[in-house]
Amino acid sequence: MNYNKKTVKDIDVAGKKVLLRCDFNVPQDKTTGAITDDKRIRAALPTIQYLLDQNAAVIACSHLGKPVATFDSYVKKQAEKGKDPASITEEEWKKSLAKLSLAPVAKRLAELLGREVIMAADVVGSDAQAKAAALKPGQILLLENTRFEKGETKNDPALAKAMAAMAEVYVSDAFGAVHRAHASTAGVADYLPAVSGFLIQKELEIIGGALADPKRPLVAILGGSKVSSKIGVINNLLEIADTIIIGGGMCYTFAKAQGASVGNSLLEADWLDYCKEMMTKAQAKGVKLLLPVDGVAAKEFSADAAPVAVEGNGIPDGMMGMDIGPKTIALYAEAVKDAGTVIWNGPMGVFEFPAFAEGTRAIAKALAESGAITIIGGGDSAAAVQQLGYADKMTHISTGGGASLEFMEGKELPGVACLLDA
Ligand code: ADP
Ligand code: MG
């Protein structure tokens, strides 16, 4: 696919102040706060390095987690969780914010870049303003968590304007956040010339290319927990793919729609008709829709539950489906073997429990050995591939779970739409 947005290479950044939106929303250890996976920081390095090499003054920003930006809404949220509002202190709220400071990211980024990263204590406050004003070409400043500002998620023009006022150019490289129209991901583009970095370009070229002009056969593997979270994706991929493979928790709603009984498996009764519709649509379009022919079940949803092999697409009463079975693995691996392109979104089973990870592991292995262009979208699928040791065997693992899903649904991404056309 031809990427049709301007990138950092299409604009003069030398000596300029550049506001760079990154996706530094990294996973952290709950108790120590240590960054447990710095993949997203590493993914931002090519653009940051390019800007610094071009002698730009880089003002980087990102959100991290879901801080509650005002004390009032913090009290409300805690009260909803059953806490006595009178017992909630401002100190407690501030502590919850401190846990989501970008300071650990600044530290890790400095290590990766091998140079100083100046940290601002706020987003558009006096510290950020002063440090941005003093920033010299070739230096990098990191603003605090953009979601510390209540205007961020509301895409408040006042916040967007204040952020934009610190810089002369806006570069977005936060692929993981492009499906959100927030002040720092979309709003700022109203006030500055806006272009993309290399990560957004790469994600859209690879995923977009696989959707627009795939090397065929195009096989889409869809799994994960719910049909309802992937409705748009299934529907859109049915227009494009040659084969669609269904696994994970969502396959039981399909099995039920085919008339099987599924015991206590994940079932979304509201989506039974939708599943029937998709099966009819697949037939009408000549798309092969593969569903499980056997499974692995358990009496309870637990890591210690004993795995029970089940023949056929149903699950016995009193049990729940936890993984695809060996015949299904063979069927799916065969479909993947001759694929030109494979798009995978959603684990085949409860891979977090080792006893039920075999389906996901076997499919990851089949992808790794296929010779096809392999694209992994979806946060849990990316984690599964990583955890199972196949990450470096894949063509592309998307850094944006939600963003890649919305892109595969064919939806417009506000964080991309706002950038200058090439
Ligand atoms: P992704 O983030 O890759 O898009 P999802 O968020 O849709 O994937 O789903 C991932 C989750 O689905 C995993 O936590 C996994 O345990 C769960 N899952 C997979 N198969 C089943 C199943 N049979 N029953 C319940 N949960 C399942
Ligand atoms: Mg997920």
Side-chain angles (χ1 to χ4, degrees):
M1 189 185 81
N2 286 329
Y3 181 62
N4 59 6
K5 291 293 177 181
K6 283 204 167 132
T7 76
V8 277
K9 291 218 163 155
D10 300 316
I11 193 164
D12 182 21
V13 294
K16 294 205 173 136
K17 294 225 162 95
V18 174
L19 178 67
L20 173 67
R21 179 54 157 98
C22 298
D23 176 13
F24 291 147
N25 186 28
V26 290
Q28 287 173 286
D29 185 281
K30 276 202 184 75
T31 40
T32 67
I35 296 167
T36 53
D37 184 354
D38 64 2
K39 183 175 72 183
R40 284 181 159 165
I41 304 176
R42 289 174 185 275
L45 294 177
T47 300
I48 295 174
Q49 198 61 62
Y50 174 84
L51 290 170
L52 293 173
D53 289 348
Q54 295 291 309
N55 221 23
V58 179
I59 305 167
C61 67
S62 173
H63 76 285
L64 175 62
K66 291 183 176 155
V68 184
T70 63
F71 181 56
D72 280 356
S73 17
Y74 182 79
V75 172
K76 230 186 252 168
K77 283 237 159 105
Q78 293 299 312
E80 277 165 20
K81 286 185 193 162
K83 261 201 165 182
D84 171 15
S87 74
I88 301 163
T89 64
E90 225 168 304
E91 279 60 51
E92 181 189 325
W93 167 59
K94 284 190 180 147
K95 254 190 204 162
S96 79
L97 292 185
K99 275 191 178 167
L100 293 172
S101 165
L102 280 173
V105 170
K107 187 164 169 270
R108 184 75 192 112
L109 183 58
E111 286 164 9
L112 291 167
L113 287 170
R115 68 165 80 205
E116 185 195 7
V117 173
I118 304 163
M119 182 72 207
D122 44 31
V123 184
V124 288
S126 52
D127 194 54
Q129 303 254 4
K131 284 176 176 159
L135 199 68
K136 300 207 171 57
Q139 289 190 319
I140 175 164
L141 166 71
L142 178 61
L143 304 179
E144 248 311 350
N145 191 340
T146 51
R147 289 192 189 168
F148 286 179
E149 288 290 332
K150 68 175 190 300
E152 165 71 336
T153 55
K154 296 188 179 111
N155 195 3
D156 176 6
L159 175 61
K161 213 169 168 177
M163 293 190 83
M166 292 189 279
E168 300 163 88
V169 174
Y170 172 65
V171 176
S172 177
D173 214 19
F175 182 71
V178 288
H179 58 311
R180 304 219 159 91
H182 291 173
S184 73
T185 60
V188 283
D190 286 345
Y191 306 99
L192 289 174
V195 301
S196 77
F198 302 126
L199 177 63
I200 287 189
Q201 179 182 18
K202 178 171 134 195
E203 291 268 8
L204 294 184
E205 277 179 355
I206 297 181
I207 306 175
L211 298 174
D213 184 21
K215 191 168 170 232
R216 292 189 183 273
L218 169 61
V219 177
I221 308 176
L222 299 170
S225 47
K226 292 176 175 174
V227 179
S228 56
S229 67
K230 309 253 159 107
I231 325 156
V233 181
I234 304 174
N235 193 34
N236 195 40
L237 288 177
L238 267 171
E239 304 285 341
I240 306 167
D242 300 290
T243 301
I244 292 195
I245 289 174
I246 305 278
M250 69 159 75
C251 74
Y252 307 105
T253 306
F254 276 92
K256 182 90 179 175
Q258 287 179 309
S261 55
V262 296
N264 301 330
S265 304
L266 251 188
L267 176 72
E268 291 178 289
D270 290 349
W271 294 98
L272 285 168
D273 286 339
Y274 177 81
C275 290
K276 282 183 199 157
E277 211 181 289
M278 291 302 107
M279 291 189 275
T280 311
K281 183 171 172 179
Q283 209 160 24
K285 296 218 164 258
V287 176
K288 257 189 245 164
L289 182 69
L290 302 182
L291 293 162
V293 293
D294 62 354
V296 179
K299 280 219 168 93
E300 59 197 14
F301 190 85
S302 127
D304 312 320
V308 178
V310 180
E311 289 295 324
N313 66 347
I315 299 292
D317 284 352
M319 305 213 116
M320 58 184 81
M322 301 286 278
D323 197 6
I324 55 174
K327 284 182 185 151
T328 307
I329 289 174
L331 177 74
Y332 290 2
E334 187 64 29
V336 165
K337 208 173 91 197
D338 301 319
T341 309
V342 184
I343 295 176
W344 184 11
N345 196 303
M348 295 290 96
V350 187
F351 74 95
E352 295 93 337
F353 302 157
F356 307 101
E358 183 53 25
T360 303
R361 196 195 62 77
I363 296 305
K365 182 165 178 280
L367 258 67
E369 291 169 353
S370 69
I373 295 165
T374 48
I375 297 170
I376 316 298
D380 292 291
S381 313
V385 166
Q386 186 99 37
Q387 186 187 310
L388 297 164
Y390 290 103
D392 55 354
K393 296 279 186 346
M394 303 300 166
T395 309
H396 182 67
I397 299 180
S398 179
T399 55
S404 67
L405 264 180
E406 294 205 10
F407 189 46
M408 287 180 196
E409 286 178 40
K411 280 194 189 159
E412 181 181 85
L413 303 169
V416 176
C418 70
L419 306 177
L420 291 170
D421 291 325

